[in-house]
Each structure stands twice: as structure tokens, then as C-alpha cells.
Amino acid sequence: MKKVVLVTGANSGIGLALCERLLSHDTEGLHLCLACRNVQRAQAARAALLASHPAAQVDLLQMDTSSVFSVLRAAQEVKVRYKWLDYLYLNAGIMPNPEFDAKAFFRGLFSSKAITMFATGEGILTQKDGVTPDGLQQVFATNLFGHFLLIRELEPVLCQEGRTSQLVWTSSSNANRSAFSLEDIQHRRGTQPYSSSKYATDLLSLSLNQHYNKQGLYSSVVCPGFVMTNLTFGILPSFPAFLWTLLMPVFWLIRVFTNTFTLTPYNGSEALLWLFRQKPESLDPYAKYHSLTSGLGNNYTQPHKMDITFETSESLYSKLLQLESDMRKKVAETQPAGPSLKT
């Protein structure tokens, strides 16, 4: 039987690179589903994958993780299409309206924290968040809550007797404890919504293992490293393209000193592919699995213990359950003809 793999945010960057590598690893043994917000870009990604793997089975699913109704509708479609899911890669994410602190950058450039600054963006990046039509903070909804709701809605195909399924979250080295607060899980009052959402991702993965392992569902977190993707380019939108080209030798030089500079989506997807090959029950729920690239260009995966606690993860899980209940009621009132909602 083919393994069914669903990847969110699969039309570019890490997600698309992962899909390419998965098909290269086992074309005939996979049934791949690309879950994307933009249908045209998803179609282009599917065409590219089929061009290099003509025998592959690649489906498309339209889904916007920032929209509760879109997630519920997409989940209903998944349950109609597939009897089970073996892997769910929770990769979709945004960093909207990033603001770059040039003064902090140049101060850090000549300090002992220069490499850490490059690798994580700590101290030099802030974002202006938005609000979705559902009334949720945009980054929180896209990066975390939409995925949480998807998992909850897909329980029938993820949790089946006699089978194991795996959740793989794309987190970040920018997941900082200082950016997250249980009193403000959506980060309405802060300036680091991306960092907050990624730290919440780390917490949620731990709690999901606590609640779902007995049902055969396991959750892991990865960090792709510093990768040049559309999200990265958006950090400095005023930079001309040639300047990024000029910076690349600097990034390659930095790689000699830190293996977190994976730079390409292919390299950044290393840990995601590595987890595909592992038995999920053998993995450490407190570890974040990092994609790393050596100075010689060799890719490998290494676990690092996350800065999280079980108590905080359980508190976040409880708050998300309450928010889920509230949002389901809201959608039921505004979309009476929509998908049937779990209570």
C-alpha cells in the first residue's frame, strides 16, 4: 500500500524541495498531496514534480491555514479522498511585514553574537501582524492554529488502529521563549509574532505526543536552518536582487563557522526527509531536529533539546482547545451550509 503524505505550503521553498526529495526517495510508494493556498502556484509545483517524476501520484488540495472555514472544508475533502494519512507535514508559514533594524544589525555584526544573529534573526527582526476575517492574529492563525485545527479534524485518518502516523512541524531557530506568553498566545501585544508562533509550535508538538501517542500518532519538530526562500527575501524587500547575490559568498564563509547556514531549500529539507525514514516512536518529543550543512556542503540531521516545559505545553494545549471550540461555534453561525463540524 502506498504511503499517503500531505504537505502544507508545498508550492515553493522548503515544502516543494521536500516533495521533490520524497519522490526521488520513493516515487512509486508514495501518494503525495500538495496543500496550498494559491491554486495556480500549486498547479505549477505539481507540473514541475511530474516533469521530473512522470509516474508519481500527486494530488492538489486548496487550503488557507489562516482561514478556519478553509481548513475545515479542506479537511472534509481529505477524509473523502483518503482512508488514512501516514505523514502530515505542517510546513505552511508566513512572516508578514518584516522590519529590519539596521542599527542593531551593524552593532551585532562586529560583536560576539554575530553568527547567532545571522542564524536566528534575534534582535534585528520585528513584524507588524494583521488580523484575519475570523478575528485571529494572522501569523498565529497561519503558522499554528490552522494546523492545530487541521490535526483535530483529521483524527479519523491520522489515528487508526494498527497504524502509526507522523506529524512533522517546520519550526525555526527563531523560536524564542522570550517572545511567547501564555497570557497572549496570539501575540496581539508584541512585535515578534513569528518567533512567538514558532515557540508555540515547539510547545504544541510536545503536548500532541502526550495526547495522541496511544492512538498511534506522533509529532516531531524540525528547524531547516538559514535558508534563502521567498520568506527570507521578504525580510529586506528594499534590497535589490544583485545585493543578495553579493551576500552569498559571505553566507558561504559563515557556513565554515556554523553548520546552520543550509542556504538552499534542498539542504533545509534534510531533517524533514530524515524523519520520513525514522520510526516515529523512537524519536525524542523534547528534541528539535535540525537540518545542518557542513563547510564542505554535506547535509546531516542533529537533534537539539528544546527550551520548553511540559506544564507550559499542556497549558497552551488547553487554551487552543478552548479557542477551537469558540471558532467552531462562530463558523457554524456564519457558514450554516458549510462542512459538518466536529463538536
Side-chain angles (χ1 to χ4, degrees):
M1 293 183 292
K2 290 190 174 184
K3 292 181 179 179
V4 182
V5 182
L6 191 152
V7 183
T8 71
N11 60 275
S12 64
I14 300 291
L16 182 57
L18 169 66
C19 292
E20 172 66 35
R21 295 189 69 178
L22 286 171
L23 291 177
S24 297
H25 176 69
D26 186 8
T27 302
E28 296 183 358
L30 292 185
H31 190 160
L32 192 59
C33 180
L34 315 184
C36 308
R37 178 178 55 184
N38 187 299
V39 175
Q40 289 184 329
R41 291 178 182 175
Q43 291 171 337
R46 180 177 184 271
L49 292 171
L50 292 177
S52 55
H53 305 280
Q57 192 168 0
V58 182
D59 298 338
L60 297 180
L61 178 71
Q62 198 282 325
M63 182 178 69
D64 180 357
T65 54
S66 72
S67 166
V68 171
F69 184 74
S70 177
V71 171
L72 294 174
R73 181 179 55 191
Q76 292 297 319
E77 190 170 339
V78 169
K79 287 183 285 188
V80 170
R81 289 187 195 179
Y82 312 113
K83 293 182 179 180
W84 64 79
L85 279 181
D86 294 286
Y87 296 87
L88 176 54
Y89 282 91
L90 304 156
N91 171 73
I94 59 169
M95 183 194 285
N97 307 311
E99 295 189 348
F100 179 71
D101 188 332
K103 291 183 179 179
F105 173 78
F106 285 108
R107 283 198 304 269
L109 190 61
F110 301 102
S111 73
S112 60
K113 296 182 178 180
I115 292 177
T116 300
M117 179 187 70
F118 271 110
T120 68
E122 185 175 356
I124 60 174
L125 292 178
T126 60
Q127 304 95 43
K128 288 184 178 179
D129 204 354
V131 178
T132 71
D134 295 316
L136 300 172
Q137 293 300 117
Q138 188 178 18
V139 176
F140 167 82
T142 305
N143 296 4
L144 183 80
F145 185 70
H147 285 133
F148 173 74
L149 188 60
L150 181 65
I151 295 165
R152 295 276 295 158
E153 194 69 16
L154 292 181
E155 282 182 14
V157 290
L158 286 169
C159 304
Q160 295 193 352
E161 188 174 355
R163 300 185 68 91
T164 58
S165 297
Q166 190 169 5
L167 308 172
V168 181
W169 297 83
T170 301
S171 182
S172 171
S173 57
N174 192 239
N176 296 319
R177 188 176 199 170
S178 59
F180 177 79
S181 170
L182 279 174
E183 304 308 314
D184 183 20
I185 63 171
Q186 295 193 47
H187 205 75
R188 295 184 186 276
R189 299 185 294 272
T191 60
Q192 300 180 69
Y194 181 80
S195 180
S196 174
S197 72
K198 292 303 180 181
Y199 187 78
T201 291
D202 298 350
L203 290 169
L204 178 56
S205 180
L206 178 62
S207 192
L208 288 169
N209 281 306
Q210 172 68 19
H211 292 274
Y212 284 101
N213 280 181
K214 290 183 179 179
Q215 300 176 59
L217 179 61
Y218 296 82
S219 181
S220 296
V221 180
V222 305
C223 173
F226 182 82
V227 181
M228 304 302 290
T229 64
N230 290 335
L231 188 149
T232 313
F233 292 130
I235 293 173
L236 300 174
S238 60
F239 268 31
F242 78 88
L243 192 52
W244 284 111
T245 304
L246 293 177
L247 283 173
M248 286 305 292
V250 177
F251 293 153
W252 285 95
L253 179 62
I254 292 173
R255 182 189 279 176
V256 175
F257 303 97
T258 174
N259 48 16
T260 60
F261 269 52
T262 49
L263 298 182
T264 69
Y266 180 94
N267 294 346
S269 66
E270 180 69 23
L272 290 87
L273 180 65
W274 184 85
L275 286 172
F276 179 80
R277 299 167 174 159
Q278 311 305 311
K279 291 183 177 180
E281 56 269 36
S282 69
L283 299 169
D284 181 358
Y286 280 90
K288 181 181 293 186
Y289 293 88
H290 288 246
S291 297
L292 301 171
T293 304
S294 71
L296 297 176
N298 298 316
N299 295 321
Y300 60 103
T301 298
Q302 192 173 80
H304 291 192
K305 186 174 176 59
M306 294 188 286
D307 181 23
I308 57 176
T309 65
F310 177 74
E311 293 75 18
T312 307
S313 72
E314 285 294 280
S315 295
L316 173 63
Y317 189 79
S318 295
K319 288 177 177 288
L320 291 174
L321 287 178
Q322 182 58 55
L323 182 59
E324 175 195 354
S325 176
D326 295 342
M327 296 310 299
R328 287 183 184 277
K329 291 175 183 176
K330 184 175 181 179
V331 171
E333 293 170 357
T334 59
Q335 302 280 354
S340 58
L341 305 181
K342 182 177 69 174
T343 57

